[in-house]
Amino acid sequence: MILVKNGRVVDPVTGTDQVMDVLIGETSILKTGTDIEEEGAQVIDD
């Protein structure tokens, strides 16, 4: 898993345009939000 911290998330379908964390699994986005912590994930902090 990869955890991208403080990245800009833009989703025109939901109207999201903000700085968030994104947890990415092998084939999909598992979670978005703020202050996500996931043990064992490779962290990329923008």
Side-chain angles (χ1 to χ4, degrees):
M1 280 185 282
I2 297 173
L3 176 57
V4 178
K5 302 287 284 182
N6 304 308
R8 181 112 192 178
V9 176
V10 178
D11 182 356
V13 173
T14 63
T16 301
D17 184 0
Q18 64 188 47
V19 174
M20 302 173 76
D21 300 344
V22 180
L23 181 62
I24 304 167
E26 287 189 35
T27 60
S28 63
I29 294 173
L30 302 176
K31 187 186 303 185
T32 61
T34 56
D35 299 321
I36 296 174
E37 298 292 332
E38 187 69 31
E39 190 167 327
Q42 176 187 353
V43 177
I44 299 171
D45 194 350
D46 182 28

